[in-house]
Amino acid sequence: MNPVVVSASLILYLIAICQGSGTDIALDAKATLLHRIDSLNLLIYTCLLTLTVLTIWVFKHRRVSWLHETGLAVIYGLIVGAIIRYAGSTNQVTYIDAHPDADTKYNLSVPPDIVRFHFPDKIQISSGEAPVPNKTYAYSFRGEIVNVEQNEIDLKATFDPEIFFNIILPPIIFHAGYCLKRKYFFRNLGAILTFAMVGTALSALVIGSLMYGCVQLMPASLAASFTFLDTLYFGALISPTDPLTVLAIFSQLKVDVNLYAMIFGESVLNDAVALVLSGAIQNYEKRYSVDGGFEITAFLAAIGDFIGIFSLSLLVGALIGCLTALMTKFTHVRDWPLLESALFVLTSYGAFLIAEVFELTGVVAVLFCGICQAHYTYNNLSADSRNRTKQLFELLNFLAENFIFTYIGVSMFTFPKHHFDPWFIIAGFLTSMLGRAVNIYPLSFLLNLGRKPPIPMNFQHMLFFSGLRGAMSFALAIRNTVSEARQAMLTTTSLIVIATVVLQGGAATHALAYLRIPTGQGQNDENEALPYRDVRSPADISFDLRNLDSNQSPNSDRASDTPHGNGDGGGEKARLARLWGAVDSKLLKPLLTHARPPLTETLPAFLRPLGRILTTTRQYTQSENSLRRTDSDSDLCIDEPQPVPTTIDPQLPYNIRNGYGNV
Amino acid sequence: MNPVVVSASLILYLIAICQGSGTDIALDAKATLLHRIDSLNLLIYTCLLTLTVLTIWVFKHRRVSWLHETGLAVIYGLIVGAIIRYAGSTNQVTYIDAHPDADTKYNLSVPPDIVRFHFPDKIQISSGEAPVPNKTYAYSFRGEIVNVEQNEIDLKATFDPEIFFNIILPPIIFHAGYCLKRKYFFRNLGAILTFAMVGTALSALVIGSLMYGCVQLMPASLAASFTFLDTLYFGALISPTDPLTVLAIFSQLKVDVNLYAMIFGESVLNDAVALVLSGAIQNYEKRYSVDGGFEITAFLAAIGDFIGIFSLSLLVGALIGCLTALMTKFTHVRDWPLLESALFVLTSYGAFLIAEVFELTGVVAVLFCGICQAHYTYNNLSADSRNRTKQLFELLNFLAENFIFTYIGVSMFTFPKHHFDPWFIIAGFLTSMLGRAVNIYPLSFLLNLGRKPPIPMNFQHMLFFSGLRGAMSFALAIRNTVSEARQAMLTTTSLIVIATVVLQGGAATHALAYLRIPTGQGQNDENEALPYRDVRSPADISFDLRNLDSNQSPNSDRASDTPHGNGDGGGEKARLARLWGAVDSKLLKPLLTHARPPLTETLPAFLRPLGRILTTTRQYTQSENSLRRTDSDSDLCIDEPQPVPTTIDPQLPYNIRNGYGNV
């Protein structure tokens, strides 16, 4: 328990001696130093991101395809992390042991928020001649110190893990929801939901069980530190996929849109599923079990937790999205695009915060808020706001994504709570591959029993190959690093993320070629290749399910499930989808947007007066045609957050239509 | 020193008893609770901003002019702050007194960063039956407790003041620099610099001296707590103006652009001046003086500090701006607008961070970085990036500005460190008005001696009237609230900001009418009313100084100061301005942008080979004409961050040219 005297503190000490003006100045200098260190940390990441951006440009310019930008960000991060670790001077923290007053009245079993620390009190400080005056300082609670000997808390170039959940992930997830190609997403909804919901749970269970088995075979010290719930938690955090690299390549090579939609949709949803799942496992752990045992009622309660939190979060996000749609529909805020964009951003972030306040999952809420904003609100926005929100979230997503991958690289060296355990790492790699296989192949087999067209074998291989791990796995792993087991999980997760992003990401082009997946398809070709081509012309590319009933007579029942001529396998699922499509096109779209047919035509007769109130003049007056074009999601959806060269001459003056014409 | 047992803690306590599983779960629950409170705080501000946005829309829709959006944000903030204060349940922090181990070896005069607190140690905890296990917790340093009795540290809906300097102010200041109307700014540079530099210093000195006099007349307890440096610091922080409201109204009513440029330019620069000035005063205080006395050498050193920090920060910002211009000129990153925008944002934030790392002023750096980015880099950007960066910073600025004004309102009630002292508040109001008068009238008189056309009296009154106080004053005041003197300053500053923003902002339209300042001028009228109309045609509206020499023969000396036929008062200032204009148009513009004439024409003969390397093919090939249009700042500069109605039909599909054509 020797106090650590280090460089920075020494300088402060010298300053304090030289100027002789006491502790206050030294404290100010210390605060300044800390601020500079914070700024330096941020500057390191800013420079790394700048470097990444410039290198991406070089790669794109020279058409390098064996390394993607995320892989690049990770590699730069690793290099800089190693430099910081081995070259930088240490700036260790100073600490002291303290005990409460013996006569203190305090009757909570939790430690206090603030410790009022009397310094220097009884201890002798040899600071030059001037005696250090006795003062009281406030110290705020930070956490438990598990291993008192291991006291080098060195937090170089690291951030609070909660930053990932509250600042970095929301824009990424919102962007994914906002830019989801809803048309293809809903066409492949069955497969996507199966892979994302059932598949992720299955994968978590398989990885958790196998890891538990592996751990039991290892040295006793390791085996004792992992409970079954620990390994199950590892299974949950390593299951979500983040196939950014693969999708970027898909988009460049114009791979089959259905395959694209399945991989993208699954990766968006399984992030949400894994987050809620890991939360449920932690709740189970906290509430019912201290020895890692298994109780059936507790297990059922955890499943209830999972379903409840997921659906309530979904509801919160969807409601906020619909509320924004109503606000933008019934006010003329559209006339002031800046106000409108601000409203859009604020309500979307509000969805995240509301979910967090009610102990739901903000990330899930923000995902479904994004989907609703794209599906309803986007249609009410002014052209300027559409452009602005799309570009804003695209940029935020790009920066956030590259930041997180850079951070994964840097933290591999600088994060103090890594625990390298070769057996656990090897087992982690093998089981995470197995988990992905268990997710894809058996479920594809089951899906193919009822699916037309079936998922071909080479698509299945590609789905398996796209199982890169990314931001969500890392964020979940770094959230809790109290125990050695958790630290081993973080190390393994970091390595799996780095390996899959760099190696699998780099090999994606070759995998596509090896699996003979056709590339270079155009939008129209695909439209014609789809089973829906007989329903409507290729020009009419509105959301499919929604329009199934839109040409019917206005007085048909809104729960109509009249069978149509498309061959989507029929059965309960298709009926539900058609029901939803009818509700959406007859009730929600006319209510929340300026879409036709208006509510006055679709509502049953006794609700017509209400319908009249909720219908805008624009809904009456605009033609069916102009609606169709606005309504399409083809002008909204970005397939991937990748920049693609434009051929616009940048020297041309670009007068932006935002109304700033005056003065 | 009784421990405070409050609602939240009680709940935690009950949970801990009921479930009997110890401190860990209670701690987890506490962390969850804190996270929920943080989310709730953010949600409050998000809702307030949403409400503000919607109300602004209503006001604009109904053409309400007696209250501006910033005033609105402040009022909403006040209402919600009052509700939180008087209706919300308190969630007070728990604390305990602690002493260091008597036998600890620790020889720094500064208190340690971390206190390792042993709990419950010797004290008796009566938590149900289960004994609380002895554990060690880490507590991190927070600050000195001055008044041990006053221990209700209640931080409802408040944020760390450093957030303002590191997150909220940079985008506001950058946006101001990026959207500065440089043409009019440079035309009135003399007046702007005089008002911003000399005026702010003068105002700070006058306010500081008068306040010191006032304080001496007040009750002894108050007089003793203020040193002259304290009141001087108050003078520095209350001097910068923030005439958002006034400028918004100017822009709507199309007031004279020269008056607009003077008010806007001054308010942008005096924020930077006041920040550096207050820093210099604090440094002086820290280094040389503990009793508030005055030393001439220390005073000169403080002036040196001021000049050094200001000019170095300016240099850092300008260099980063030029570096970005070079990067965008010599790479083809322009082909990928997303990468380009990311690069732009990252380097601009990098300028802030670099200045902070080197203990300069990030806000000053970011301001001049913004001006350089607009002047050079903007010309190299692709159309998409121009649009995107402009819209991004516009939105960020809008949100940041409204947040800060909402926060001023809320914190009036919830910030725990307010100190209401009626005498100090009254004195503050009077002296801040006097300080503004001392800034404007004598300096205008001096300026008018050499200025053609002179600043008319009604413009001077309007300059005086535009002396609203805003974000920078508040941010400086809330930064340090350790002593009672500083707390009284915060309270006074908050009240002055609220009063000026709400009252002066609301009365601005009437003031314009009362002072008979002509409104409704168009861009072309103004151009013709300016003394430069004989130099060039109204269509050629590029930056004036820059183009003074651009039509001369290519081999003229780049330090040319040939007198021109415009009547800008002549003398040293005009010669310097012309010199700078020549350097800018002959060296910097061709070097940093694709502007013509290329360096091969402007450099002296022996530097031509170097010039050839630094000239792009585009510079050789493009016509003079296309350049001129791009070069103008009329398509970049936004007069004010106010949304103005557009006449675009939002139902029209808006295909954004960003290159996402595939799939």
Side-chain angles (χ1 to χ4, degrees):
Chain A
M1 269 178 258
N2 293 318
V4 185
V5 183
V6 283
S7 55
S9 307
L10 249 180
I11 295 165
L12 293 172
Y13 179 55
L14 290 172
I15 292 170
I17 290 176
C18 294
Q19 305 198 336
S21 41
T23 321
D24 282 346
I25 288 171
L27 272 181
D28 272 340
K30 185 167 209 162
T32 310
L33 184 74
L34 285 179
H35 174 69
R36 285 179 65 193
I37 290 170
D38 283 347
S39 300
L40 188 64
N41 283 345
L42 281 174
L43 186 63
I44 288 169
Y45 287 102
T46 310
C47 289
L48 269 173
L49 287 179
T50 310
L51 201 65
T52 309
V53 167
L54 286 175
T55 321
I56 295 168
W57 167 70
V58 172
F59 276 25
K60 285 192 181 294
H61 197 60
R62 303 201 179 278
R63 306 193 174 280
V64 174
S65 71
W66 48 265
L67 188 59
H68 182 62
E69 61 190 70
T70 47
L72 194 72
V74 167
I75 290 171
Y76 275 139
L78 283 171
I79 294 169
V80 171
I83 293 171
I84 294 173
R85 166 114 177 218
Y86 297 112
S89 67
T90 47
N91 180 43
Q92 271 162 320
V93 290
T94 53
Y95 54 87
I96 213 165
D97 280 80
H99 297 275
D101 283 356
D103 57 340
T104 305
K105 288 192 199 73
Y106 186 87
N107 51 19
L108 294 178
S109 64
V110 282
D113 298 317
I114 300 281
V115 161
R116 296 198 298 202
F117 180 63
H118 300 276
F119 180 83
D121 209 46
K122 285 163 275 183
I123 55 171
Q124 210 64 39
I125 305 289
S126 56
S127 70
E129 300 97 70
V132 178
N134 248 322
K135 284 190 175 176
T136 307
Y137 296 98
Y139 279 77
S140 57
F141 184 77
R142 195 159 141 173
E144 192 188 338
I145 300 173
V146 179
N147 186 352
V148 184
E149 297 312 307
Q150 184 193 7
N151 43 31
E152 298 181 41
I153 306 167
D154 185 359
L155 289 165
K156 279 184 296 189
T158 52
F159 297 99
D160 183 353
E162 288 303 308
I163 283 180
F164 292 107
F165 288 93
N166 298 325
I167 294 169
I168 310 290
L169 284 179
I172 297 180
I173 304 283
F174 181 85
H175 182 256
Y178 195 48
C179 291
L180 194 70
K181 270 189 109 54
R182 296 185 309 284
K183 181 171 46 163
Y184 297 103
F185 178 77
F186 282 102
R187 274 192 201 157
N188 295 288
L189 194 62
I192 290 170
L193 285 179
T194 311
F195 287 134
M197 299 276 191
V198 185
T200 305
L202 197 67
S203 158
L205 201 66
V206 167
I207 296 176
S209 313
L210 286 175
M211 283 306 285
Y212 191 65
C214 290
V215 165
Q216 297 307 316
L217 298 176
M218 290 174 199
S221 69
L222 193 69
S225 62
F226 284 92
T227 64
F228 178 61
L229 281 173
D230 281 334
T231 56
L232 200 62
Y233 185 78
F234 178 72
L237 74 87
I238 206 70
S239 289
T241 58
D242 189 359
L244 286 172
T245 323
V246 178
L247 292 180
I249 289 160
F250 273 30
S251 194
Q252 271 165 24
L253 299 177
K254 300 194 194 305
V255 175
D256 183 275
V257 274
N258 286 311
L259 180 59
Y260 185 97
M262 273 194 272
I263 292 179
F264 185 71
E266 188 213 337
S267 78
V268 166
L269 281 182
N270 67 16
D271 277 1
V273 170
L275 186 53
V276 182
L277 196 63
S278 64
I281 292 170
Q282 276 192 311
N283 276 350
Y284 176 90
E285 202 169 358
K286 270 185 217 161
R287 284 198 210 146
Y288 308 104
S289 164
V290 274
D291 57 345
F294 194 81
E295 297 165 41
I296 192 73
T297 52
F299 176 71
L300 290 177
I303 289 178
D305 250 23
F306 171 80
I307 295 170
I309 288 178
F310 193 92
S311 47
L312 282 176
S313 305
L314 187 155
L315 204 69
V316 165
L319 279 179
I320 298 288
C322 293
L323 198 70
T324 316
L326 284 176
M327 280 196 274
T328 47
K329 184 186 175 188
F330 290 106
T331 65
H332 287 273
V333 72
R334 175 184 356 33
D335 297 338
W336 285 272
L338 179 58
L339 291 182
E340 193 184 34
S341 308
L343 187 69
F344 187 91
V345 172
L346 288 170
T347 51
S348 305
Y349 190 52
F352 175 81
L353 292 174
I354 288 173
E356 290 289 316
V357 167
F358 290 104
E359 285 195 75
L360 303 170
T361 311
V363 166
V364 176
V366 101
L367 169 65
F368 287 95
C369 180
I371 294 175
C372 284
Q373 299 279 38
H375 196 55
Y376 300 116
T377 314
Y378 186 80
N379 297 307
N380 301 338
L381 295 183
S382 65
D384 184 56
S385 291
R386 287 183 193 184
N387 190 8
R388 195 194 293 250
T389 52
K390 202 185 64 63
Q391 292 193 333
L392 173 73
F393 285 109
E394 195 188 7
L395 186 64
L396 286 181
N397 174 61
F398 177 81
L399 290 176
E401 226 161 58
N402 280 292
F403 171 76
I404 216 167
F405 281 101
T406 310
Y407 189 76
I408 292 172
V410 172
S411 72
M412 200 65 226
F413 285 98
T414 62
F415 196 75
K417 290 175 178 173
H418 272 296
H419 182 82
F420 287 86
D421 187 312
W423 293 114
F424 193 81
I425 292 168
I426 293 168
F429 267 90
L430 293 177
T431 52
S432 68
M433 267 173 67
L434 262 171
R436 183 71 189 161
V438 167
N439 181 345
I440 298 300
Y441 296 108
L443 293 181
S444 298
F445 176 75
L446 289 178
L447 280 167
N448 280 347
L449 296 181
R451 188 184 154 96
K452 283 173 201 162
I455 305 169
M457 212 54 205
N458 60 350
F459 278 30
Q460 292 182 31
H461 292 321
M462 200 63 216
L463 279 165
F464 171 72
F465 188 82
S466 306
L468 281 69
R469 268 60 168 193
M472 183 57 82
S473 298
F474 177 74
L476 281 171
I478 208 167
R479 197 171 205 175
N480 182 347
T481 50
V482 168
S483 67
E484 208 163 82
R486 288 291 160 92
Q487 292 175 12
M489 284 182 201
L490 169 64
T491 309
T492 308
T493 308
S494 293
L495 288 173
I496 290 175
V497 170
I498 293 170
T500 53
V501 165
V502 174
L503 301 180
Q504 268 177 265
T509 322
H510 305 290
L512 275 177
Y514 181 78
L515 294 172
R516 296 187 191 172
I517 289 170
T519 56
Q521 295 188 327
Q523 175 83 28
N524 288 330
D525 302 0
E526 284 149 10
N527 247 338
E528 276 162 26
L530 292 167
Y532 298 91
R533 70 180 182 277
D534 51 339
V535 183
R536 53 199 168 66
S537 69
D540 175 10
I541 53 166
S542 322
F543 168 44
D544 186 67
L545 291 169
R546 201 177 56 229
N547 283 350
L548 281 177
D549 291 356
S550 68
N551 295 323
Q552 289 196 353
S553 61
N555 56 353
S556 73
D557 184 14
R558 67 183 156 98
S560 145
D561 56 352
T562 324
H564 275 259
N566 61 65
D568 196 13
E572 191 57 30
K573 193 206 99 196
R575 189 173 298 159
L576 269 174
R578 273 202 298 279
L579 176 64
W580 165 247
V583 170
D584 186 49
S585 70
K586 297 251 163 98
L587 183 68
L588 296 176
K589 274 260 166 183
L591 176 65
L592 300 172
T593 72
H594 297 287
R596 286 184 63 87
L599 282 177
T600 44
E601 292 175 23
T602 55
L603 281 184
F606 66 97
L607 285 173
R608 289 281 155 86
L610 185 69
R612 220 161 290 141
I613 298 167
L614 296 171
T615 304
T616 56
T617 38
R618 204 210 287 182
Q619 267 175 301
Y620 289 122
T621 52
Q622 77 187 339
S623 71
E624 189 84 7
N625 201 29
S626 78
L627 156 78
R628 275 287 162 76
R629 274 192 293 153
T630 315
D631 202 39
S632 155
D633 67 354
S634 62
D635 63 336
L636 166 69
C637 287
I638 299 155
D639 301 306
E640 42 95 20
Q642 269 307 102
V644 166
T646 57
T647 51
I648 303 163
D649 180 6
Q651 285 301 98
L652 287 174
Y654 190 76
N655 290 313
I656 303 116
R657 296 181 289 170
N658 69 339
Y660 286 96
N662 50 1
V663 181
Chain B
M1 266 174 261
N2 293 317
V4 186
V5 183
V6 282
S7 54
S9 308
L10 250 178
I11 294 164
L12 293 173
Y13 178 56
L14 288 173
I15 292 170
I17 290 176
C18 294
Q19 305 199 336
S21 39
T23 322
D24 282 346
I25 288 170
L27 273 180
D28 272 339
K30 187 167 208 161
T32 310
L33 184 75
L34 285 179
H35 174 69
R36 284 179 66 191
I37 290 170
D38 283 347
S39 300
L40 189 63
N41 283 345
L42 281 174
L43 186 63
I44 288 168
Y45 287 102
T46 310
C47 289
L48 268 172
L49 287 178
T50 310
L51 200 65
T52 309
V53 167
L54 286 174
T55 322
I56 295 169
W57 168 71
V58 172
F59 276 26
K60 285 192 184 293
H61 197 60
R62 304 201 179 277
R63 304 194 175 279
V64 174
S65 72
W66 47 267
L67 188 59
H68 182 62
E69 64 189 67
T70 47
L72 194 73
V74 167
I75 290 172
Y76 276 140
L78 283 171
I79 295 168
V80 171
I83 293 170
I84 294 175
R85 168 112 174 222
Y86 297 112
S89 66
T90 48
N91 179 41
Q92 272 162 320
V93 290
T94 52
Y95 55 86
I96 213 166
D97 279 81
H99 296 275
D101 283 356
D103 57 339
T104 305
K105 288 192 200 72
Y106 186 86
N107 50 18
L108 294 178
S109 64
V110 283
D113 298 316
I114 299 280
V115 160
R116 296 197 298 202
F117 180 64
H118 302 275
F119 181 83
D121 210 43
K122 284 162 273 180
I123 56 171
Q124 211 63 39
I125 305 290
S126 57
S127 69
E129 301 96 70
V132 178
N134 247 322
K135 282 190 175 177
T136 308
Y137 296 99
Y139 279 77
S140 57
F141 184 77
R142 193 159 144 174
E144 194 188 336
I145 299 173
V146 179
N147 185 351
V148 184
E149 296 312 305
Q150 186 194 6
N151 43 33
E152 297 181 41
I153 307 168
D154 184 0
L155 290 165
K156 278 184 296 189
T158 53
F159 297 99
D160 183 354
E162 289 302 308
I163 283 180
F164 292 108
F165 288 93
N166 298 327
I167 294 169
I168 310 290
L169 284 179
I172 296 179
I173 304 281
F174 181 85
H175 182 255
Y178 195 49
C179 290
L180 195 70
K181 270 189 109 56
R182 295 186 309 284
K183 182 172 45 160
Y184 298 102
F185 178 78
F186 280 102
R187 274 189 200 159
N188 295 288
L189 194 61
I192 290 170
L193 285 179
T194 312
F195 288 134
M197 298 278 191
V198 185
T200 305
L202 198 66
S203 159
L205 202 64
V206 167
I207 296 175
S209 312
L210 287 175
M211 282 305 286
Y212 190 64
C214 290
V215 165
Q216 297 307 315
L217 299 175
M218 288 175 200
S221 69
L222 193 69
S225 63
F226 284 92
T227 64
F228 179 62
L229 281 173
D230 281 335
T231 57
L232 200 63
Y233 184 79
F234 178 72
L237 74 86
I238 206 72
S239 290
T241 59
D242 189 358
L244 285 173
T245 325
V246 178
L247 292 179
I249 289 159
F250 274 30
S251 193
Q252 271 164 25
L253 299 177
K254 301 195 196 304
V255 175
D256 182 276
V257 273
N258 286 308
L259 179 60
Y260 184 97
M262 273 192 273
I263 292 179
F264 185 70
E266 189 214 337
S267 77
V268 166
L269 280 182
N270 67 16
D271 276 2
V273 170
L275 185 54
V276 182
L277 198 62
S278 62
I281 293 170
Q282 277 193 310
N283 275 350
Y284 175 91
E285 201 167 358
K286 268 185 219 158
R287 284 199 209 144
Y288 308 105
S289 165
V290 274
D291 56 345
F294 193 82
E295 297 167 38
I296 192 73
T297 50
F299 176 72
L300 290 177
I303 290 179
D305 251 23
F306 171 80
I307 295 171
I309 287 177
F310 193 91
S311 48
L312 282 176
S313 305
L314 187 155
L315 204 69
V316 165
L319 279 179
I320 299 289
C322 293
L323 199 69
T324 316
L326 285 176
M327 280 198 274
T328 47
K329 183 185 176 187
F330 290 106
T331 65
H332 288 271
V333 72
R334 175 178 27 332
D335 296 338
W336 285 272
L338 179 60
L339 290 183
E340 195 184 32
S341 308
L343 188 68
F344 188 91
V345 172
L346 287 171
T347 52
S348 304
Y349 190 53
F352 176 82
L353 292 174
I354 289 172
E356 291 288 316
V357 167
F358 290 105
E359 284 193 77
L360 303 170
T361 311
V363 166
V364 176
V366 100
L367 168 64
F368 288 95
C369 180
I371 294 176
C372 284
Q373 300 279 36
H375 195 54
Y376 301 116
T377 314
Y378 186 79
N379 297 306
N380 301 338
L381 295 183
S382 64
D384 184 56
S385 291
R386 287 183 192 184
N387 191 8
R388 194 194 295 249
T389 53
K390 202 185 65 61
Q391 292 192 333
L392 172 73
F393 285 109
E394 198 188 4
L395 186 64
L396 286 181
N397 175 61
F398 177 81
L399 291 177
E401 228 161 56
N402 280 295
F403 170 75
I404 215 167
F405 281 100
T406 310
Y407 189 75
I408 292 172
V410 172
S411 72
M412 199 66 226
F413 286 99
T414 62
F415 195 73
K417 290 175 178 173
H418 272 296
H419 181 82
F420 287 87
D421 187 312
W423 293 113
F424 193 83
I425 291 167
I426 293 167
F429 267 89
L430 294 176
T431 53
S432 69
M433 267 173 69
L434 262 172
R436 182 71 187 162
V438 167
N439 181 346
I440 298 299
Y441 297 108
L443 293 181
S444 299
F445 175 77
L446 288 177
L447 281 168
N448 281 347
L449 295 180
R451 187 184 154 97
K452 282 173 201 163
I455 305 170
M457 212 57 204
N458 60 349
F459 278 30
Q460 292 182 30
H461 293 319
M462 198 64 216
L463 279 165
F464 171 72
F465 187 83
S466 308
L468 280 69
R469 269 59 170 193
M472 182 57 82
S473 299
F474 177 75
L476 281 171
I478 207 166
R479 197 171 205 177
N480 182 348
T481 49
V482 168
S483 67
E484 210 163 80
R486 288 290 160 90
Q487 292 176 13
M489 284 184 201
L490 169 64
T491 309
T492 309
T493 308
S494 294
L495 288 173
I496 291 176
V497 171
I498 292 170
T500 54
V501 165
V502 174
L503 302 179
Q504 269 177 263
T509 323
H510 306 288
L512 275 178
Y514 181 78
L515 295 171
R516 298 191 187 168
I517 290 169
T519 55
Q521 296 188 327
Q523 176 85 24
N524 288 331
D525 301 358
E526 283 148 11
N527 247 339
E528 275 162 27
L530 292 168
Y532 298 88
R533 69 179 182 279
D534 50 341
V535 183
R536 52 198 171 68
S537 71
D540 175 11
I541 52 165
S542 322
F543 168 44
D544 186 67
L545 291 167
R546 201 178 55 228
N547 283 349
L548 280 177
D549 290 354
S550 68
N551 297 324
Q552 289 195 350
S553 60
N555 57 353
S556 75
D557 183 13
R558 67 183 156 97
S560 149
D561 56 350
T562 325
H564 274 256
N566 61 66
D568 195 14
E572 192 58 30
K573 192 208 100 196
R575 188 175 297 158
L576 270 174
R578 274 203 297 280
L579 177 64
W580 165 247
V583 170
D584 186 48
S585 70
K586 298 252 162 99
L587 182 68
L588 295 178
K589 274 260 168 181
L591 175 65
L592 299 173
T593 73
H594 297 288
R596 285 183 64 85
L599 281 177
T600 44
E601 292 175 23
T602 56
L603 281 183
F606 67 96
L607 285 174
R608 290 281 155 83
L610 184 68
R612 219 160 291 140
I613 298 166
L614 297 172
T615 305
T616 57
T617 38
R618 205 211 287 183
Q619 266 172 303
Y620 290 122
T621 52
Q622 77 187 338
S623 72
E624 190 84 7
N625 201 31
S626 76
L627 156 77
R628 275 285 162 78
R629 276 190 292 152
T630 315
D631 203 35
S632 156
D633 66 354
S634 61
D635 63 333
L636 164 67
C637 287
I638 301 155
D639 301 304
E640 42 93 24
Q642 269 308 101
V644 166
T646 58
T647 52
I648 302 162
D649 180 6
Q651 284 301 98
L652 286 174
Y654 189 79
N655 289 314
I656 302 114
R657 293 182 290 170
N658 70 341
Y660 286 96
N662 48 1
V663 181

